[in-house]
Amino acid sequence: MTTALAALAVLGVAVAVIALVALHIVPSGLSALRDPVSAYGISRWRALYRTQTLATAVAAASLAGALLAAGIPSTLPALIALAALALARAPISWVPMDAADAPRTATGSRHNLLAFGAFAAASVGGFMTGIAFSAAGVASALWQHFVAVRSASCMATLADQIITTLGLDTALPSVFRVTGS
């Protein structure tokens, strides 16, 4: 049972990564550097975005099941975080973000809550399972909660701030120019 759940988790990650790469390659008019992944959910590529979110949910739920089935001690926080991640990612594609030029809506606010829950759960899960890059997830979650959620949409990103602070937008504007869409 543990092996089957772990294999399903790996398959979920693979599908999610392939879908995410495909989303960044398709002619969507969105920028992988400037636009949140959620913006694909309000584009003509929403089915591919839904594939990515559901695959992430399957991966998280399967990994939680594999950890539980393996009986590894001290994994309760990781199990809770993985379950929360699955519960946040599964419905998020049916709760779209607000478009940049649209007024804020209750649906968009619910999307922000689900996104924050997913970021926080992934960060906690990362810390609990020893993933080295979980600090970036915490930074993203905090950015989402304190800064981006106050904008007209989720268009403000942590990447914008990092690129600007490092001066990459002025050093290589053809690659790193920060603009809204």
Side-chain angles (χ1 to χ4, degrees), residues 54-108:
L54 291 175
T56 303
V58 166
S62 299
L63 182 56
L67 289 171
L68 188 61
I72 300 170
S74 302
T75 57
L76 183 61
L79 293 173
I80 293 169
L82 288 165
L85 176 60
L87 291 172
R89 291 307 283 170
I92 200 166
S93 64
W94 282 278
V95 185
M97 65 177 269
D98 293 326
D101 56 350
R104 290 200 58 164
T105 65
T107 300

mmCIF file of all heavy atoms in Angstrom, residues 54-108:
data_model
loop_
_atom_site.group_PDB
_atom_site.id
_atom_site.type_symbol
_atom_site.label_atom_id
_atom_site.label_comp_id
_atom_site.label_asym_id
_atom_site.label_seq_id
_atom_site.Cartn_x
_atom_site.Cartn_y
_atom_site.Cartn_z
ATOM 1 N N LEU A 54 -5.264 19.803 -9.751
ATOM 2 C CA LEU A 54 -5.751 18.499 -9.298
ATOM 3 C C LEU A 54 -4.602 17.502 -9.132
ATOM 4 O O LEU A 54 -4.593 16.705 -8.190
ATOM 5 C CB LEU A 54 -6.805 17.952 -10.251
ATOM 6 C CG LEU A 54 -8.133 18.716 -10.250
ATOM 7 C CD1 LEU A 54 -9.073 18.173 -11.320
ATOM 8 C CD2 LEU A 54 -8.792 18.655 -8.872
ATOM 9 N N ALA A 55 -3.627 17.558 -10.020
ATOM 10 C CA ALA A 55 -2.466 16.668 -9.890
ATOM 11 C C ALA A 55 -1.691 16.981 -8.613
ATOM 12 O O ALA A 55 -1.207 16.067 -7.928
ATOM 13 C CB ALA A 55 -1.567 16.786 -11.115
ATOM 14 N N THR A 56 -1.584 18.252 -8.274
ATOM 15 C CA THR A 56 -0.917 18.640 -7.027
ATOM 16 C C THR A 56 -1.685 18.104 -5.826
ATOM 17 O O THR A 56 -1.087 17.601 -4.869
ATOM 18 C CB THR A 56 -0.776 20.172 -6.938
ATOM 19 O OG1 THR A 56 -0.052 20.639 -8.074
ATOM 20 C CG2 THR A 56 -0.058 20.594 -5.670
ATOM 21 N N ALA A 57 -3.013 18.199 -5.872
ATOM 22 C CA ALA A 57 -3.840 17.684 -4.781
ATOM 23 C C ALA A 57 -3.678 16.171 -4.640
ATOM 24 O O ALA A 57 -3.559 15.648 -3.525
ATOM 25 C CB ALA A 57 -5.302 18.053 -5.010
ATOM 26 N N VAL A 58 -3.677 15.468 -5.764
ATOM 27 C CA VAL A 58 -3.494 14.014 -5.732
ATOM 28 C C VAL A 58 -2.120 13.667 -5.156
ATOM 29 O O VAL A 58 -1.992 12.747 -4.332
ATOM 30 C CB VAL A 58 -3.663 13.407 -7.146
ATOM 31 C CG1 VAL A 58 -3.153 11.976 -7.211
ATOM 32 C CG2 VAL A 58 -5.117 13.472 -7.569
ATOM 33 N N ALA A 59 -1.094 14.386 -5.572
ATOM 34 C CA ALA A 59 0.258 14.128 -5.062
ATOM 35 C C ALA A 59 0.318 14.334 -3.547
ATOM 36 O O ALA A 59 0.874 13.494 -2.824
ATOM 37 C CB ALA A 59 1.265 15.028 -5.766
ATOM 38 N N ALA A 60 -0.243 15.425 -3.067
ATOM 39 C CA ALA A 60 -0.203 15.721 -1.633
ATOM 40 C C ALA A 60 -0.990 14.685 -0.838
ATOM 41 O O ALA A 60 -0.513 14.178 0.189
ATOM 42 C CB ALA A 60 -0.738 17.125 -1.369
ATOM 43 N N ALA A 61 -2.195 14.354 -1.279
ATOM 44 C CA ALA A 61 -3.016 13.374 -0.574
ATOM 45 C C ALA A 61 -2.361 11.995 -0.586
ATOM 46 O O ALA A 61 -2.360 11.286 0.427
ATOM 47 C CB ALA A 61 -4.411 13.309 -1.196
ATOM 48 N N SER A 62 -1.776 11.625 -1.719
ATOM 49 C CA SER A 62 -1.114 10.316 -1.825
ATOM 50 C C SER A 62 0.118 10.244 -0.935
ATOM 51 O O SER A 62 0.373 9.214 -0.299
ATOM 52 C CB SER A 62 -0.728 10.033 -3.270
ATOM 53 O OG SER A 62 -1.876 10.003 -4.078
ATOM 54 N N LEU A 63 0.896 11.313 -0.903
ATOM 55 C CA LEU A 63 2.068 11.329 -0.034
ATOM 56 C C LEU A 63 1.654 11.243 1.428
ATOM 57 O O LEU A 63 2.270 10.517 2.215
ATOM 58 C CB LEU A 63 2.914 12.570 -0.293
ATOM 59 C CG LEU A 63 4.204 12.677 0.519
ATOM 60 C CD1 LEU A 63 5.094 11.448 0.324
ATOM 61 C CD2 LEU A 63 4.953 13.951 0.145
ATOM 62 N N ALA A 64 0.596 11.951 1.796
ATOM 63 C CA ALA A 64 0.090 11.862 3.170
ATOM 64 C C ALA A 64 -0.322 10.422 3.481
ATOM 65 O O ALA A 64 0.000 9.890 4.547
ATOM 66 C CB ALA A 64 -1.088 12.813 3.366
ATOM 67 N N GLY A 65 -1.019 9.793 2.546
ATOM 68 C CA GLY A 65 -1.429 8.403 2.745
ATOM 69 C C GLY A 65 -0.236 7.469 2.863
ATOM 70 O O GLY A 65 -0.231 6.551 3.689
ATOM 71 N N ALA A 66 0.789 7.691 2.038
ATOM 72 C CA ALA A 66 1.987 6.848 2.091
ATOM 73 C C ALA A 66 2.712 7.007 3.426
ATOM 74 O O ALA A 66 3.159 6.011 4.017
ATOM 75 C CB ALA A 66 2.920 7.195 0.931
ATOM 76 N N LEU A 67 2.829 8.238 3.912
ATOM 77 C CA LEU A 67 3.465 8.459 5.206
ATOM 78 C C LEU A 67 2.681 7.792 6.327
ATOM 79 O O LEU A 67 3.259 7.178 7.227
ATOM 80 C CB LEU A 67 3.618 9.961 5.489
ATOM 81 C CG LEU A 67 4.658 10.710 4.667
ATOM 82 C CD1 LEU A 67 4.540 12.209 4.908
ATOM 83 C CD2 LEU A 67 6.056 10.222 4.992
ATOM 84 N N LEU A 68 1.367 7.910 6.253
ATOM 85 C CA LEU A 68 0.510 7.294 7.273
ATOM 86 C C LEU A 68 0.631 5.771 7.218
ATOM 87 O O LEU A 68 0.796 5.108 8.251
ATOM 88 C CB LEU A 68 -0.941 7.730 7.071
ATOM 89 C CG LEU A 68 -1.937 7.329 8.141
ATOM 90 C CD1 LEU A 68 -1.555 7.922 9.487
ATOM 91 C CD2 LEU A 68 -3.337 7.789 7.759
ATOM 92 N N ALA A 69 0.578 5.213 6.019
ATOM 93 C CA ALA A 69 0.677 3.760 5.855
ATOM 94 C C ALA A 69 2.044 3.234 6.285
ATOM 95 O O ALA A 69 2.151 2.109 6.786
ATOM 96 C CB ALA A 69 0.398 3.376 4.400
ATOM 97 N N ALA A 70 3.079 4.038 6.107
ATOM 98 C CA ALA A 70 4.422 3.609 6.482
ATOM 99 C C ALA A 70 4.621 3.613 7.991
ATOM 100 O O ALA A 70 5.536 2.971 8.499
ATOM 101 C CB ALA A 70 5.467 4.503 5.817
ATOM 102 N N GLY A 71 3.762 4.333 8.703
ATOM 103 C CA GLY A 71 3.860 4.382 10.156
ATOM 104 C C GLY A 71 5.107 5.072 10.667
ATOM 105 O O GLY A 71 5.622 4.744 11.730
ATOM 106 N N ILE A 72 5.582 6.057 9.913
ATOM 107 C CA ILE A 72 6.780 6.792 10.328
ATOM 108 C C ILE A 72 6.412 7.694 11.503
ATOM 109 O O ILE A 72 5.469 8.478 11.417
ATOM 110 C CB ILE A 72 7.346 7.621 9.156
ATOM 111 C CG1 ILE A 72 7.716 6.688 8.005
ATOM 112 C CG2 ILE A 72 8.547 8.441 9.599
ATOM 113 C CD1 ILE A 72 8.062 7.411 6.726
ATOM 114 N N PRO A 73 7.141 7.574 12.630
ATOM 115 C CA PRO A 73 6.805 8.396 13.794
ATOM 116 C C PRO A 73 7.054 9.886 13.542
ATOM 117 O O PRO A 73 7.869 10.260 12.717
ATOM 118 C CB PRO A 73 7.727 7.865 14.905
ATOM 119 C CG PRO A 73 8.771 7.066 14.226
ATOM 120 C CD PRO A 73 8.266 6.696 12.869
ATOM 121 N N SER A 74 6.344 10.706 14.261
ATOM 122 C CA SER A 74 6.501 12.169 14.243
ATOM 123 C C SER A 74 6.172 12.800 12.900
ATOM 124 O O SER A 74 6.761 13.804 12.526
ATOM 125 C CB SER A 74 7.923 12.568 14.654
ATOM 126 O OG SER A 74 8.225 12.069 15.930
ATOM 127 N N THR A 75 5.246 12.245 12.156
ATOM 128 C CA THR A 75 4.878 12.848 10.875
ATOM 129 C C THR A 75 3.501 13.513 10.920
ATOM 130 O O THR A 75 3.032 13.965 9.889
ATOM 131 C CB THR A 75 4.885 11.802 9.739
ATOM 132 O OG1 THR A 75 3.999 10.746 10.079
ATOM 133 C CG2 THR A 75 6.280 11.281 9.475
ATOM 134 N N LEU A 76 2.880 13.587 12.085
ATOM 135 C CA LEU A 76 1.546 14.189 12.165
ATOM 136 C C LEU A 76 1.499 15.605 11.596
ATOM 137 O O LEU A 76 0.602 15.918 10.811
ATOM 138 C CB LEU A 76 1.011 14.148 13.596
ATOM 139 C CG LEU A 76 -0.402 14.694 13.768
ATOM 140 C CD1 LEU A 76 -1.402 13.882 12.931
ATOM 141 C CD2 LEU A 76 -0.797 14.693 15.232
ATOM 142 N N PRO A 77 2.452 16.499 11.927
ATOM 143 C CA PRO A 77 2.398 17.833 11.317
ATOM 144 C C PRO A 77 2.495 17.783 9.792
ATOM 145 O O PRO A 77 1.811 18.532 9.097
ATOM 146 C CB PRO A 77 3.603 18.562 11.921
ATOM 147 C CG PRO A 77 3.872 17.854 13.205
ATOM 148 C CD PRO A 77 3.520 16.406 12.933
ATOM 149 N N ALA A 78 3.332 16.899 9.268
ATOM 150 C CA ALA A 78 3.454 16.768 7.813
ATOM 151 C C ALA A 78 2.151 16.233 7.218
ATOM 152 O O ALA A 78 1.713 16.702 6.164
ATOM 153 C CB ALA A 78 4.614 15.848 7.448
ATOM 154 N N LEU A 79 1.532 15.279 7.872
ATOM 155 C CA LEU A 79 0.256 14.723 7.392
ATOM 156 C C LEU A 79 -0.820 15.807 7.343
ATOM 157 O O LEU A 79 -1.576 15.901 6.377
ATOM 158 C CB LEU A 79 -0.204 13.568 8.276
ATOM 159 C CG LEU A 79 0.653 12.317 8.248
ATOM 160 C CD1 LEU A 79 0.166 11.320 9.300
ATOM 161 C CD2 LEU A 79 0.638 11.695 6.874
ATOM 162 N N ILE A 80 -0.892 16.601 8.378
ATOM 163 C CA ILE A 80 -1.874 17.686 8.425
ATOM 164 C C ILE A 80 -1.598 18.700 7.317
ATOM 165 O O ILE A 80 -2.515 19.134 6.618
ATOM 166 C CB ILE A 80 -1.878 18.355 9.818
ATOM 167 C CG1 ILE A 80 -2.413 17.365 10.861
ATOM 168 C CG2 ILE A 80 -2.706 19.637 9.806
ATOM 169 C CD1 ILE A 80 -2.211 17.816 12.297
ATOM 170 N N ALA A 81 -0.326 19.065 7.142
ATOM 171 C CA ALA A 81 0.031 20.039 6.105
ATOM 172 C C ALA A 81 -0.278 19.495 4.713
ATOM 173 O O ALA A 81 -0.818 20.217 3.866
ATOM 174 C CB ALA A 81 1.506 20.411 6.218
ATOM 175 N N LEU A 82 0.048 18.237 4.463
ATOM 176 C CA LEU A 82 -0.228 17.639 3.151
ATOM 177 C C LEU A 82 -1.728 17.546 2.895
ATOM 178 O O LEU A 82 -2.188 17.799 1.778
ATOM 179 C CB LEU A 82 0.440 16.269 3.042
ATOM 180 C CG LEU A 82 1.965 16.300 2.899
ATOM 181 C CD1 LEU A 82 2.556 14.924 3.161
ATOM 182 C CD2 LEU A 82 2.366 16.825 1.531
ATOM 183 N N ALA A 83 -2.496 17.194 3.919
ATOM 184 C CA ALA A 83 -3.953 17.137 3.764
ATOM 185 C C ALA A 83 -4.513 18.531 3.481
ATOM 186 O O ALA A 83 -5.381 18.702 2.612
ATOM 187 C CB ALA A 83 -4.594 16.537 5.012
ATOM 188 N N ALA A 84 -3.998 19.537 4.178
ATOM 189 C CA ALA A 84 -4.445 20.916 3.944
ATOM 190 C C ALA A 84 -4.090 21.364 2.533
ATOM 191 O O ALA A 84 -4.897 22.027 1.854
ATOM 192 C CB ALA A 84 -3.827 21.848 4.984
ATOM 193 N N LEU A 85 -2.891 20.998 2.066
ATOM 194 C CA LEU A 85 -2.493 21.338 0.701
ATOM 195 C C LEU A 85 -3.442 20.697 -0.309
ATOM 196 O O LEU A 85 -3.909 21.360 -1.243
ATOM 197 C CB LEU A 85 -1.055 20.887 0.439
ATOM 198 C CG LEU A 85 -0.519 21.080 -0.981
ATOM 199 C CD1 LEU A 85 -0.554 22.549 -1.388
ATOM 200 C CD2 LEU A 85 0.895 20.527 -1.091
ATOM 201 N N ALA A 86 -3.737 19.431 -0.120
ATOM 202 C CA ALA A 86 -4.658 18.739 -1.033
ATOM 203 C C ALA A 86 -6.041 19.392 -1.016
ATOM 204 O O ALA A 86 -6.652 19.595 -2.070
ATOM 205 C CB ALA A 86 -4.759 17.257 -0.655
ATOM 206 N N LEU A 87 -6.515 19.740 0.171
ATOM 207 C CA LEU A 87 -7.843 20.347 0.290
ATOM 208 C C LEU A 87 -7.898 21.760 -0.286
ATOM 209 O O LEU A 87 -8.960 22.213 -0.716
ATOM 210 C CB LEU A 87 -8.290 20.350 1.757
ATOM 211 C CG LEU A 87 -8.603 18.976 2.333
ATOM 212 C CD1 LEU A 87 -8.833 19.071 3.841
ATOM 213 C CD2 LEU A 87 -9.815 18.356 1.636
ATOM 214 N N ALA A 88 -6.774 22.457 -0.308
ATOM 215 C CA ALA A 88 -6.740 23.806 -0.886
ATOM 216 C C ALA A 88 -6.564 23.756 -2.405
ATOM 217 O O ALA A 88 -7.185 24.537 -3.135
ATOM 218 C CB ALA A 88 -5.614 24.625 -0.255
ATOM 219 N N ARG A 89 -5.728 22.858 -2.896
ATOM 220 C CA ARG A 89 -5.455 22.802 -4.342
ATOM 221 C C ARG A 89 -6.587 22.163 -5.131
ATOM 222 O O ARG A 89 -6.821 22.548 -6.278
ATOM 223 C CB ARG A 89 -4.145 22.052 -4.620
ATOM 224 C CG ARG A 89 -2.905 22.782 -4.164
ATOM 225 C CD ARG A 89 -2.784 24.189 -4.687
ATOM 226 N NE ARG A 89 -2.357 24.214 -6.082
ATOM 227 C CZ ARG A 89 -2.361 25.301 -6.831
ATOM 228 N NH1 ARG A 89 -2.769 26.447 -6.336
ATOM 229 N NH2 ARG A 89 -1.967 25.247 -8.074
ATOM 230 N N ALA A 90 -7.272 21.187 -4.555
ATOM 231 C CA ALA A 90 -8.327 20.484 -5.305
ATOM 232 C C ALA A 90 -9.424 21.434 -5.809
ATOM 233 O O ALA A 90 -9.784 21.383 -6.988
ATOM 234 C CB ALA A 90 -8.908 19.351 -4.476
ATOM 235 N N PRO A 91 -9.951 22.320 -4.985
ATOM 236 C CA PRO A 91 -11.056 23.173 -5.471
ATOM 237 C C PRO A 91 -10.635 24.503 -6.083
ATOM 238 O O PRO A 91 -11.464 25.196 -6.668
ATOM 239 C CB PRO A 91 -11.868 23.432 -4.201
ATOM 240 C CG PRO A 91 -10.837 23.470 -3.119
ATOM 241 C CD PRO A 91 -9.821 22.419 -3.528
ATOM 242 N N ILE A 92 -9.360 24.884 -5.992
ATOM 243 C CA ILE A 92 -8.961 26.254 -6.341
ATOM 244 C C ILE A 92 -9.249 26.608 -7.797
ATOM 245 O O ILE A 92 -9.555 27.755 -8.107
ATOM 246 C CB ILE A 92 -7.492 26.529 -5.964
ATOM 247 C CG1 ILE A 92 -7.257 28.048 -5.878
ATOM 248 C CG2 ILE A 92 -6.529 25.848 -6.921
ATOM 249 C CD1 ILE A 92 -5.969 28.431 -5.203
ATOM 250 N N SER A 93 -9.189 25.631 -8.700
ATOM 251 C CA SER A 93 -9.426 25.969 -10.109
ATOM 252 C C SER A 93 -10.902 26.233 -10.392
ATOM 253 O O SER A 93 -11.244 26.771 -11.445
ATOM 254 C CB SER A 93 -8.886 24.871 -11.027
ATOM 255 O OG SER A 93 -9.583 23.665 -10.826
ATOM 256 N N TRP A 94 -11.771 25.874 -9.475
ATOM 257 C CA TRP A 94 -13.199 26.190 -9.624
ATOM 258 C C TRP A 94 -13.559 27.488 -8.911
ATOM 259 O O TRP A 94 -14.699 27.929 -8.942
ATOM 260 C CB TRP A 94 -14.058 25.047 -9.079
ATOM 261 C CG TRP A 94 -14.158 23.895 -10.016
ATOM 262 C CD1 TRP A 94 -15.014 23.785 -11.079
ATOM 263 C CD2 TRP A 94 -13.387 22.700 -10.013
ATOM 264 N NE1 TRP A 94 -14.821 22.589 -11.723
ATOM 265 C CE2 TRP A 94 -13.817 21.903 -11.092
ATOM 266 C CE3 TRP A 94 -12.356 22.220 -9.208
ATOM 267 C CZ2 TRP A 94 -13.269 20.661 -11.378
ATOM 268 C CZ3 TRP A 94 -11.818 20.983 -9.498
ATOM 269 C CH2 TRP A 94 -12.269 20.222 -10.570
ATOM 270 N N VAL A 95 -12.569 28.096 -8.267
ATOM 271 C CA VAL A 95 -12.755 29.359 -7.544
ATOM 272 C C VAL A 95 -11.723 30.339 -8.106
ATOM 273 O O VAL A 95 -10.676 30.554 -7.514
ATOM 274 C CB VAL A 95 -12.567 29.153 -6.027
ATOM 275 C CG1 VAL A 95 -12.870 30.429 -5.262
ATOM 276 C CG2 VAL A 95 -13.416 28.004 -5.508
ATOM 277 N N PRO A 96 -11.990 30.917 -9.281
ATOM 278 C CA PRO A 96 -10.963 31.708 -9.969
ATOM 279 C C PRO A 96 -10.633 33.030 -9.284
ATOM 280 O O PRO A 96 -11.445 33.605 -8.570
ATOM 281 C CB PRO A 96 -11.580 31.957 -11.342
ATOM 282 C CG PRO A 96 -13.051 31.860 -11.127
ATOM 283 C CD PRO A 96 -13.249 30.860 -10.018
ATOM 284 N N MET A 97 -9.410 33.471 -9.542
ATOM 285 C CA MET A 97 -8.973 34.781 -9.062
ATOM 286 C C MET A 97 -9.719 35.872 -9.832
ATOM 287 O O MET A 97 -10.313 35.607 -10.872
ATOM 288 C CB MET A 97 -7.466 34.943 -9.247
ATOM 289 C CG MET A 97 -7.010 34.951 -10.703
ATOM 290 S SD MET A 97 -5.242 35.234 -10.896
ATOM 291 C CE MET A 97 -5.214 37.011 -11.041
ATOM 292 N N ASP A 98 -9.673 37.077 -9.318
ATOM 293 C CA ASP A 98 -10.232 38.214 -10.030
ATOM 294 C C ASP A 98 -9.255 38.663 -11.112
ATOM 295 O O ASP A 98 -8.040 38.657 -10.905
ATOM 296 C CB ASP A 98 -10.485 39.386 -9.069
ATOM 297 C CG ASP A 98 -11.577 39.082 -8.051
ATOM 298 O OD1 ASP A 98 -12.528 38.372 -8.405
ATOM 299 O OD2 ASP A 98 -11.454 39.557 -6.912
ATOM 300 N N ALA A 99 -9.784 39.061 -12.256
ATOM 301 C CA ALA A 99 -8.945 39.615 -13.323
ATOM 302 C C ALA A 99 -8.370 40.948 -12.860
ATOM 303 O O ALA A 99 -8.952 41.633 -12.011
ATOM 304 C CB ALA A 99 -9.760 39.801 -14.601
ATOM 305 N N ALA A 100 -7.236 41.313 -13.420
ATOM 306 C CA ALA A 100 -6.548 42.538 -13.007
ATOM 307 C C ALA A 100 -7.407 43.782 -13.175
ATOM 308 O O ALA A 100 -7.357 44.692 -12.356
ATOM 309 C CB ALA A 100 -5.250 42.693 -13.795
ATOM 310 N N ASP A 101 -8.215 43.812 -14.210
ATOM 311 C CA ASP A 101 -9.016 45.003 -14.492
ATOM 312 C C ASP A 101 -10.444 44.903 -13.958
ATOM 313 O O ASP A 101 -11.281 45.744 -14.261
ATOM 314 C CB ASP A 101 -9.030 45.269 -15.994
ATOM 315 C CG ASP A 101 -9.536 44.064 -16.787
ATOM 316 O OD1 ASP A 101 -9.697 42.975 -16.201
ATOM 317 O OD2 ASP A 101 -9.756 44.220 -18.002
ATOM 318 N N ALA A 102 -10.724 43.888 -13.153
ATOM 319 C CA ALA A 102 -12.079 43.689 -12.619
ATOM 320 C C ALA A 102 -12.119 44.070 -11.140
ATOM 321 O O ALA A 102 -11.102 44.027 -10.452
ATOM 322 C CB ALA A 102 -12.480 42.227 -12.790
ATOM 323 N N PRO A 103 -13.312 44.430 -10.656
ATOM 324 C CA PRO A 103 -13.418 44.718 -9.226
ATOM 325 C C PRO A 103 -13.247 43.435 -8.407
ATOM 326 O O PRO A 103 -13.446 42.335 -8.905
ATOM 327 C CB PRO A 103 -14.840 45.277 -9.079
ATOM 328 C CG PRO A 103 -15.570 44.841 -10.297
ATOM 329 C CD PRO A 103 -14.565 44.632 -11.373
ATOM 330 N N ARG A 104 -12.879 43.598 -7.161
ATOM 331 C CA ARG A 104 -12.729 42.447 -6.258
ATOM 332 C C ARG A 104 -14.086 41.817 -6.022
ATOM 333 O O ARG A 104 -15.089 42.499 -5.878
ATOM 334 C CB ARG A 104 -12.127 42.894 -4.939
ATOM 335 C CG ARG A 104 -10.662 43.275 -5.149
ATOM 336 C CD ARG A 104 -9.892 43.264 -3.907
ATOM 337 N NE ARG A 104 -9.974 41.934 -3.311
ATOM 338 C CZ ARG A 104 -9.170 41.500 -2.379
ATOM 339 N NH1 ARG A 104 -8.242 42.269 -1.935
ATOM 340 N NH2 ARG A 104 -9.293 40.311 -1.865
ATOM 341 N N THR A 105 -14.089 40.498 -5.982
ATOM 342 C CA THR A 105 -15.329 39.754 -5.758
ATOM 343 C C THR A 105 -15.145 38.796 -4.596
ATOM 344 O O THR A 105 -14.028 38.520 -4.159
ATOM 345 C CB THR A 105 -15.709 38.929 -7.006
ATOM 346 O OG1 THR A 105 -14.705 37.925 -7.209
ATOM 347 C CG2 THR A 105 -15.851 39.813 -8.242
ATOM 348 N N ALA A 106 -16.253 38.258 -4.109
ATOM 349 C CA ALA A 106 -16.198 37.253 -3.043
ATOM 350 C C ALA A 106 -15.486 35.999 -3.543
ATOM 351 O O ALA A 106 -14.720 35.373 -2.803
ATOM 352 C CB ALA A 106 -17.614 36.917 -2.577
ATOM 353 N N THR A 107 -15.697 35.648 -4.805
ATOM 354 C CA THR A 107 -15.015 34.480 -5.370
ATOM 355 C C THR A 107 -13.510 34.708 -5.401
ATOM 356 O O THR A 107 -12.729 33.825 -5.042
ATOM 357 C CB THR A 107 -15.539 34.178 -6.788
ATOM 358 O OG1 THR A 107 -16.938 33.925 -6.707
ATOM 359 C CG2 THR A 107 -14.839 32.984 -7.398
ATOM 360 N N GLY A 108 -13.089 35.889 -5.823
ATOM 361 C CA GLY A 108 -11.668 36.214 -5.837
ATOM 362 C C GLY A 108 -11.063 36.185 -4.441
ATOM 363 O O GLY A 108 -9.934 35.727 -4.249
#
